[in-house]
């Protein structure tokens, strides 16, 4: 195992003393900056010495070599302040026993540490590292535990090496784990030799972090690698904001500012990136990633091919089919609903858009009934598991997520259903289409046979997709496809308050029920409530009280199952991070726990998956409950809608607490009760479509908590960011 060293950022350049010993206790540790106060036991001595300094990711039991100065603290007495440290493997049986007993190596606790050291003595660490099979000489240690200990030893070594290297660059523990998972034992080598590579390979690592590493390693500030990385980073930031292409001069200007480089140097490297195919141009001089260009071209090509190909549907007398569906439903459809059914059955590509309560479900159910009666092969899909389950219930027909429909193969890194092996269907209905980004939309449309009909259902007034693109709005704007807009509200009795408010928001009306000043004043029979809580502290207090006391008592509900808090921002007192901490401590204060950096996971916690994991069949946005925590082996077992999934140490970084989530993460889902904090501190995100999207996630009740003025600010702000995309041009210019 390697020796690790770290130089604290201190003004003291000349430490006058060296101290070596075993770290016995940690009395204080700051996760953010690695600042430590602890007790060190010098080699061959019994006296404990107070030590103070920055030592990231250090554990009790490690043997440390410290360089620093002695001082006398007025309160704590004599202590050793260190500016530099090295962590090395302990050489004595005592140090090894302390080291292994600390739990630093998963699979070895105090009991097994004592047994192993009693048997192997000072050779223990050499045995684990070089001849781990001998661990079976210890009673109770079998081949499975030996393998786990060996893997944990190697993993801990790699992770520590990377964490020590990256600590000064502000890289979080979770991102360190992603780097190790990506590169394994080569992580440090990659960072030292090609630091800009990590921007492309590991989501969450930005240019500034990689640049800081590169410049500290002595790479040139105006070298071609740095300038090209800055240009690609600028283009990626535009994609992260939802754009699929950007004006060349805008990219050049932003990159020049970021790099503090001359415009000519940036322009030269843009030309180089175009020449080697890392960027392409759109009209007339805009820049786009090749993958984005390919995705938009695929969408345009597939949909235009569908328009020119004859339908495989059996003959349907559409007017008679609508009458039959009305009789089956037991009520007459409104004109717009009948039109939506006719358009879907007669058009190869049709779009159905409208807000809550406008009759989308009635149309969906009628179309599926007609197609099943005609023995047509119909497939239903949605972006998320929750949306697919809701769709299946509404239509009385099986629905799947897009990922399951297209059968992602982790071994090959792509969908097995594609243009070469398309779906077997006559009619595909895609719900929550506003959530589709260009890449997922391209994969879906490529897989649909040209003879099949496609019906895209969604609410164009919701927030656009998390990924780049604005697929639903672009397909409406291009005017190539049949569009039915539902504007009349039918759902008056059920959820009338929510539906009425949603349509009022779209019209820019700021009217709200009269705000109340305490959660205790909530009327259980009211659909929409606004609790006044002007400051972040009052907002947090009201939200936690609602979850812990008021709603369970007044409505007899389970807050974990029936309540979802949706917040505009991640940071701040009333941000998602702190909301999760406070709600968890209120609802679930006890139980086994496991920490991933500064994030705590506890048995009984509600969690959300933050990236697609095709191996586990769990996808971005899926929510579950932690059933058990194995802190010794670093494993967490989670129930996702009845599925029991085990997360290993390296996979836990993909989880976040989910008592509170972002409005974007809520898309495609519905919750019985939504609590929505809204404060002036959220001003950066206060937009009409944000509030509209959050509101329409509530099935029964929505409770706003915050400042009525912040709500009004949001409703008045309909100037949402216009996403720059090239899909409409590709759709209208492509050859038919």
């Amino acid at each position: 195992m390697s020796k690790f060293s770290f130089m604290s950022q201190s003004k003291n350049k000349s430490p006058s003393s060296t101290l070596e010993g075993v770290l016995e206790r940690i009395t204080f540790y700051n996760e953010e900056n690695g600042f430590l106060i602890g007790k060190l036991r010098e080699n061959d001595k019994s006296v404990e010495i107070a030590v103070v300094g920055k030592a990231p990711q250090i554990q009790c039991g490690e043997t440390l070599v410290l360089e620093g100065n002695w001082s006398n603290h007025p309160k704590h007495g004599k202590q050793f302040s260190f500016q530099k440290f090295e962590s090395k493997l302990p050489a004595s049986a005592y140090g090894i026993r302390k080291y292994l007993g600390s739990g630093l190596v998963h699979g070895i606790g105090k009991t097994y540490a004592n047994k192993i050291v009693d048997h192997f003595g000072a050779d223990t660490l050499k045995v684990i590292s070089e001849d781990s099979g001998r661990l079976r000489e210890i009673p109770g240690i079998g081949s499975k535990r030996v393998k786990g200990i060996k893997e944990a030893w190697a993993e801990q070594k790699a992770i520590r090496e990377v964490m020590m290297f990256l600590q000064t660059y502000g890289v979080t523990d979770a991102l360190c784990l992603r780097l190790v998972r990506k590169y394994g034992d080569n992580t440090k080598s990659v960072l030292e030799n090609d630091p800009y590579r990590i921007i492309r390979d590991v989501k969450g690592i930005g240019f500034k972090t990689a640049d800081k590493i590169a410049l500290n390693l002595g790479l040139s500030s105006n070298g071609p690698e740095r300038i090209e990385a800055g240009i690609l980073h600028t283009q990626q930031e535009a994609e992260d904001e939802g754009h699929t292409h950007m004006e060349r001069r805008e990219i050049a200007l932003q990159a020049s500012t970021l790099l503090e480089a001359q415009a000519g140097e940036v322009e030269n490297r843009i030309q180089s990136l175009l020449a080697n195919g890392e960027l392409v141009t759109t009209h007339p001089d805009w820049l786009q990633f090749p993958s984005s260009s390919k995705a938009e071209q695929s969408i345009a090509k597939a949909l235009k091919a569908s328009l020119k190909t004859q339908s495989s549907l059996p003959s349907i007398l559409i007017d008679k089919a609508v009458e039959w569906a009305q009789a089956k439903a037991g009520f007459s459809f409104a004109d717009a609903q009948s039109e939506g059914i006719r358009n879907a059955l007669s058009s190869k590509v049709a779009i159905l858009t409208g807000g809550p309560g406008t009759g989308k479900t009635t149309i969906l159910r009628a179309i599926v009934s007609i197609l099943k009666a005609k023995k047509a092969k119909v497939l239903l899909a949605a972006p998320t598991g929750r949306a697919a389950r809701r769709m299946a219930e509404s239509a009385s027909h099986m629905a799947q997520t897009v990922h399951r429909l297209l059968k992602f193969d982790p071994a090959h890194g792509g969908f097995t259903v594609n243009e070469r092996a398309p779906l077997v269907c006559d009619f595909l209905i895609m719900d929550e289409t506003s959530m589709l980004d260009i890449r997922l939309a391209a994969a879906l449309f490529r897989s649909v046979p040209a003879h099949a009909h496609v019906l895209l259902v969604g609410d164009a007034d919701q927030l656009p997709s998390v990924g780049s693109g604005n697929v639903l709005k672009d397909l409406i704007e291009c005017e190539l496809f049949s569009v039915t807009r539902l504007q009349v509200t039918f759902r008056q009795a059920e959820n009338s308050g929510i539906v009425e408010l949603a349509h009022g928001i779209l019209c820019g009306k700021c009217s709200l029920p009269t705000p109340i000043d305490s959660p205790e004043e909530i009327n259980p029979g009211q659909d929409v409530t606004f609790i006044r809580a002007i400051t972040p502290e009052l907002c947090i207090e009201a939200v936690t009280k609602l979850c812990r006391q008021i709603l369970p008592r007044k409505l007899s509900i389970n807050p974990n199952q029936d309540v979802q808090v949706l917040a505009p921002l991640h940071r701040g007192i009333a941000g998602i991070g702190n909301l999760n901490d406070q709600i968890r401590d209120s609802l679930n204060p006890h139980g086994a726990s496991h920490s991933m950096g500064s994030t705590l996971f506890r048995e009984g916690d509600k969690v959300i998956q933050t990236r697609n994991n095709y191996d586990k069949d769990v996808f971005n946005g899926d929510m579950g409950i932690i059933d058990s925590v194995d802190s010794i082996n670093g494993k967490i077992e989670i129930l996702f809608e009845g599925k029991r999934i085990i997360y290993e140490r390296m996979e836990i970084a993909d989880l976040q607490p989910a008592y509170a989530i972002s409005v974007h993460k809520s898309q495609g889902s519905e919750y019985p009760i939504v609590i929505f904090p809204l404060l002036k501190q959220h001003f950066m995100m206060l937009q009409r479509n944000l509030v509209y999207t959050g509101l329409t996630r509530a099935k029964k009740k929505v409770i706003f908590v915050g400042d009525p003025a912040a709500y009004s600010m949001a409703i008045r702000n309909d100037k949402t960011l216009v996403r720059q995309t090239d899909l409409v041009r590709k759709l209208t210019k492509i050859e038919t």
Side-chain angles (χ1 to χ4, degrees), residues 232-252:
L232 293 174
H233 166 73
T234 304
Q235 185 76 31
Q236 186 59 57
E237 279 200 324
E239 284 229 348
D240 291 343
E241 291 176 359
H243 309 295
T244 67
H245 71 161
M246 284 291 286
E247 212 171 352
R248 178 170 177 162
R249 63 181 180 182
E250 183 63 27
I251 292 293

Side-chain angles (χ1 to χ4, degrees), residues 206-340:
F207 172 81
K208 290 181 180 178
T209 299
D211 196 41
K212 193 172 182 182
I213 295 170
L215 293 178
N216 275 275
L217 289 171
L219 272 70
S220 171
S221 62
N222 63 349
E225 296 90 352
R226 179 174 185 265
I227 295 176
E228 288 184 5
I231 294 165
L232 293 174
H233 166 73
T234 304
Q235 185 76 31
Q236 186 59 57
E237 279 200 324
E239 284 229 348
D240 291 343
E241 291 176 359
H243 309 295
T244 67
H245 71 161
M246 284 291 286
E247 212 171 352
R248 178 170 177 162
R249 63 181 180 182
E250 183 63 27
I251 292 293
L253 178 63
Q254 291 183 23
S256 296
T257 303
L258 171 73
L259 297 162
E260 297 181 351
Q262 296 295 321
E265 293 177 318
V266 173
E267 274 295 337
N268 287 340
R269 298 330 300 173
I270 288 177
Q271 202 56 45
S272 174
L273 290 168
L274 288 168
N276 63 30
E278 290 190 67
L279 290 175
V280 297
T281 55
T282 61
H283 72 101
D285 197 13
W286 288 50
L287 299 175
Q288 187 170 43
F289 284 125
S291 58
S292 300
S293 178
K294 182 180 177 182
E296 289 182 336
Q297 291 282 10
S298 293
I299 294 169
K301 181 180 178 182
L303 293 179
K304 293 296 289 274
S306 178
L307 292 181
K308 352 180 244 190
T309 306
Q310 188 171 348
S311 168
S312 64
L313 280 181
S315 177
I316 299 175
L317 299 174
I318 294 177
D319 287 340
K320 287 187 179 291
V322 172
E323 291 174 8
W324 176 84
Q326 286 182 129
K328 193 172 188 297
F331 59 88
S332 296
F333 300 152
D335 290 344
Q337 292 175 312
S338 297
E339 179 192 354

Side-chain angles (χ1 to χ4, degrees), residues 446-493:
R446 277 197 303 262
S447 73
V448 180
H451 59 73
H453 286 238
V454 175
L455 173 62
L456 304 173
V457 183
D459 186 347
D461 292 309
Q462 284 191 23
L463 289 171
S465 58
V466 176
S468 58
N470 208 352
V471 174
L472 180 59
K473 282 192 174 180
D474 285 347
L475 295 182
I476 292 171
E477 184 184 327
C478 76
E479 298 183 343
L480 291 175
F481 313 112
S482 170
V483 179
T484 303
R485 291 179 175 83
L486 302 175
Q487 296 174 316
V488 178
T489 302
F490 299 102
R491 204 193 319 164
Q492 290 296 343

Side-chain angles (χ1 to χ4, degrees), residues 16-311:
S16 57
S17 302
T18 301
L19 187 66
E20 180 173 341
V22 175
L23 186 64
E24 295 283 334
R25 284 183 290 145
I26 296 175
T27 54
F28 173 80
Y29 184 71
N30 186 325
E31 288 275 0
E32 296 296 320
N33 60 17
F35 181 76
L36 166 129
I37 301 174
K39 295 288 187 178
L40 189 88
R41 180 177 178 268
E42 275 193 281
N43 296 336
D44 304 321
K45 294 182 182 179
S46 58
V47 178
E48 291 184 354
I49 299 167
V51 293
V52 179
K54 287 187 178 181
Q57 301 303 314
I58 285 298
Q59 303 277 353
C60 289
E62 294 193 50
T63 296
L64 304 179
V65 180
L66 309 177
E67 290 186 18
N69 303 89
W70 292 98
S71 62
N72 276 298
H73 191 278
K75 183 176 180 181
H76 302 294
K78 189 177 182 181
Q79 62 183 26
F80 190 81
S81 299
F82 62 91
Q83 290 78 44
K84 182 180 180 182
F85 83 87
E86 291 181 359
S87 172
K88 66 180 187 178
L89 295 179
S92 67
Y94 172 83
I96 295 169
R97 193 184 306 272
K98 188 79 177 174
Y99 181 75
L100 294 180
S102 69
L104 185 64
V105 180
H106 293 294
I108 303 179
K110 287 185 179 179
T111 301
Y112 277 113
N114 287 330
K115 289 181 179 181
I116 293 170
V117 177
D118 286 344
H119 189 76
F120 295 114
D123 291 330
T124 295
L125 298 184
K126 184 178 180 182
V127 169
I128 294 174
S129 182
E130 300 173 9
D131 194 10
S132 59
R134 290 192 60 198
L135 291 171
R136 283 182 299 220
E137 297 172 15
I138 309 299
I141 296 184
S143 57
K144 186 176 180 181
R145 184 175 284 269
V146 168
K147 182 182 178 185
I149 291 172
K150 178 67 175 176
E151 289 176 352
W153 178 262
E155 181 185 295
Q156 190 269 342
K157 171 188 173 182
I159 292 172
R160 167 60 64 80
E161 197 163 303
V162 175
M163 285 181 172
M164 295 291 296
F165 182 73
L166 291 179
Q167 185 70 28
T168 52
Y169 306 112
V171 179
T172 66
D173 292 353
L175 287 178
C176 286
L177 288 175
R178 287 188 189 175
L179 286 165
V180 173
R181 184 165 58 190
K182 177 69 178 177
Y183 303 121
D185 293 340
N186 296 321
T187 304
K188 190 174 180 184
S189 174
V190 169
L191 293 170
E192 290 177 328
N193 296 312
D194 189 8
Y196 294 111
R197 174 181 168 187
I198 64 177
I199 304 170
R200 303 187 299 272
D201 292 351
V202 183
K203 187 173 177 58
I205 297 276
F207 172 81
K208 290 181 180 178
T209 299
D211 196 41
K212 193 172 182 182
I213 295 170
L215 293 178
N216 275 275
L217 289 171
L219 272 70
S220 171
S221 62
N222 63 349
E225 296 90 352
R226 179 174 185 265
I227 295 176
E228 288 184 5
I231 294 165
L232 293 174
H233 166 73
T234 304
Q235 185 76 31
Q236 186 59 57
E237 279 200 324
E239 284 229 348
D240 291 343
E241 291 176 359
H243 309 295
T244 67
H245 71 161
M246 284 291 286
E247 212 171 352
R248 178 170 177 162
R249 63 181 180 182
E250 183 63 27
I251 292 293
L253 178 63
Q254 291 183 23
S256 296
T257 303
L258 171 73
L259 297 162
E260 297 181 351
Q262 296 295 321
E265 293 177 318
V266 173
E267 274 295 337
N268 287 340
R269 298 330 300 173
I270 288 177
Q271 202 56 45
S272 174
L273 290 168
L274 288 168
N276 63 30
E278 290 190 67
L279 290 175
V280 297
T281 55
T282 61
H283 72 101
D285 197 13
W286 288 50
L287 299 175
Q288 187 170 43
F289 284 125
S291 58
S292 300
S293 178
K294 182 180 177 182
E296 289 182 336
Q297 291 282 10
S298 293
I299 294 169
K301 181 180 178 182
L303 293 179
K304 293 296 289 274
S306 178
L307 292 181
K308 352 180 244 190
T309 306
Q310 188 171 348
S311 168

